[in-house]
Amino acid sequence: MSKLKIAVQKSGRLHDDSMKILKEIGISIDNGKDQLKASARNFPLEVFYLRNGDIPQYLRDGVVDAAIIGENVLIEKGEDITIVERLGFSKCRVSIAVPKSSNAENLKDLEGKRIATSYPNTVEQYLEKAEVKANLHIINGSVEIAPNIGLADAICDIVSSGSTLFKNGLKEIQMLLKSEAVLATSPAISAESQALIDKIQFRLKSVLRGRSNKYVLLNAPNDKLDDICKILPGMNSPTILPLAKEGWSSLHSVINKNDFWEVIDELKANGAEGILVCPIENMVL
């Protein structure tokens, strides 16, 4: 059987998060320091460590079958590349920022100004829709320094926490798009490789569902079970087991982590006691 070739960013937070999720779906990678390619011990897969900006072309040319890549890079360089799964990590945004001393407060204020960016296609399309004309300076590397050295009046770059902008005396005035890590496939992927991607995608969905949900166990009086079941429907319905204590039952279910505290408050208000909440490693449907 041929091996599936998957690209990941060679270093940085996206690299670390990508390797972490591959491990969580049961794929063990033998990667040494400074390797450009590594094989999995327990799955027909090779990982290629590449520059993020080069990955769309490798996908397009069929050099790799798939990639874990930032959505922002595909918007800039690979709109023809198919996204098969959103992975929910390495979240960021592409935004325009100006020096804190600048009078610019919105996109219209950048009419005729100079914008330094590593995302010229993204910026150009956004400006065109907003009917703003500005001069773009394409920079690969530390874009944030451009206003400080007089190269540009504004920048457009990825923003995560905003700490880099703060350190460089910049303020964010316009978000162009939000981004996260995605699994993308090559237009030239073979049927054999696609079958392997389907297996990986099944595992990813199980891990991602586990990350977004929590397992909850609680005790409740039997006369409150109907109300509590309405709060906790679970995947199909909650599991209910009788307790040794007369008139009480134990209820097991799943809750979305985003609704966690609101659900806990409702459960307590409806008579639930001894509530235990546990993380879920995988959630297979």
Side-chain angles (χ1 to χ4, degrees), residues 207-262:
V207 169
L208 294 172
R209 277 194 294 264
R211 287 183 179 182
S212 62
N213 290 278
K214 291 183 180 292
Y215 191 70
V216 60
L217 304 86
L218 58 87
N219 299 329
N222 290 341
D223 61 357
K224 295 288 188 179
L225 288 178
D226 287 343
D227 292 333
I228 289 176
C229 286
K230 291 176 183 177
I231 301 168
L232 281 178
M235 289 178 283
N236 289 313
S237 63
T239 299
I240 300 174
L241 302 171
L243 292 176
K245 184 178 179 180
E246 185 71 26
W248 283 72
S249 295
S250 173
L251 187 148
H252 300 205
S253 191
V254 172
I255 58 175
N256 187 289
K257 71 174 186 179
N258 295 325
D259 303 327
F260 174 72
W261 288 113
E262 289 80 3

Side-chain angles (χ1 to χ4, degrees), residues 66-236:
I68 297 176
I69 186 172
E71 184 182 6
N72 57 296
V73 179
L74 291 184
I75 291 171
E76 174 65 23
K77 294 185 174 183
E79 287 190 319
D80 56 324
I81 305 297
T82 301
I83 294 173
V84 296
E85 194 70 45
R86 297 183 177 277
L87 302 177
F89 58 79
S90 294
K91 291 186 176 181
C92 64
R93 56 194 182 274
V94 176
S95 292
I96 290 177
V98 297
K100 290 179 180 178
S101 59
S102 173
N103 293 324
E105 297 292 339
N106 54 54
L107 204 60
K108 294 293 184 182
D109 292 335
L110 297 180
E111 180 74 35
K113 302 294 185 181
R114 301 164 299 166
I115 303 174
T117 186
S118 301
Y119 298 91
N121 294 329
T122 302
V123 178
E124 189 172 349
Q125 290 174 19
Y126 197 89
L127 291 177
E128 187 174 338
K129 288 180 181 178
E131 298 182 344
V132 173
K133 292 184 179 180
N135 301 310
L136 300 188
H137 289 259
I138 302 173
I139 296 178
N140 294 314
S142 301
V143 176
E144 295 86 1
I145 198 174
N148 293 330
I149 60 176
L151 183 62
D153 304 294
I155 69 160
C156 183
D157 202 12
I158 57 170
V159 179
S160 296
S161 65
S163 61
T164 303
L165 294 181
F166 180 79
K167 290 176 184 176
N168 286 275
L170 300 170
K171 62 181 180 181
E172 191 175 351
I173 64 168
Q174 182 72 46
M175 183 184 72
L176 276 59
L177 58 92
K178 290 183 178 180
S179 174
E180 64 183 280
V182 297
L183 176 67
T185 55
S186 167
I189 191 169
S190 67
E192 186 177 14
S193 294
Q194 182 61 54
L196 293 173
I197 281 292
D198 292 343
K199 288 183 178 182
I200 286 177
Q201 193 174 2
F202 173 79
R203 296 186 187 187
L204 286 171
K205 286 180 181 293
S206 299
V207 169
L208 294 172
R209 277 194 294 264
R211 287 183 179 182
S212 62
N213 290 278
K214 291 183 180 292
Y215 191 70
V216 60
L217 304 86
L218 58 87
N219 299 329
N222 290 341
D223 61 357
K224 295 288 188 179
L225 288 178
D226 287 343
D227 292 333
I228 289 176
C229 286
K230 291 176 183 177
I231 301 168
L232 281 178
M235 289 178 283
N236 289 313

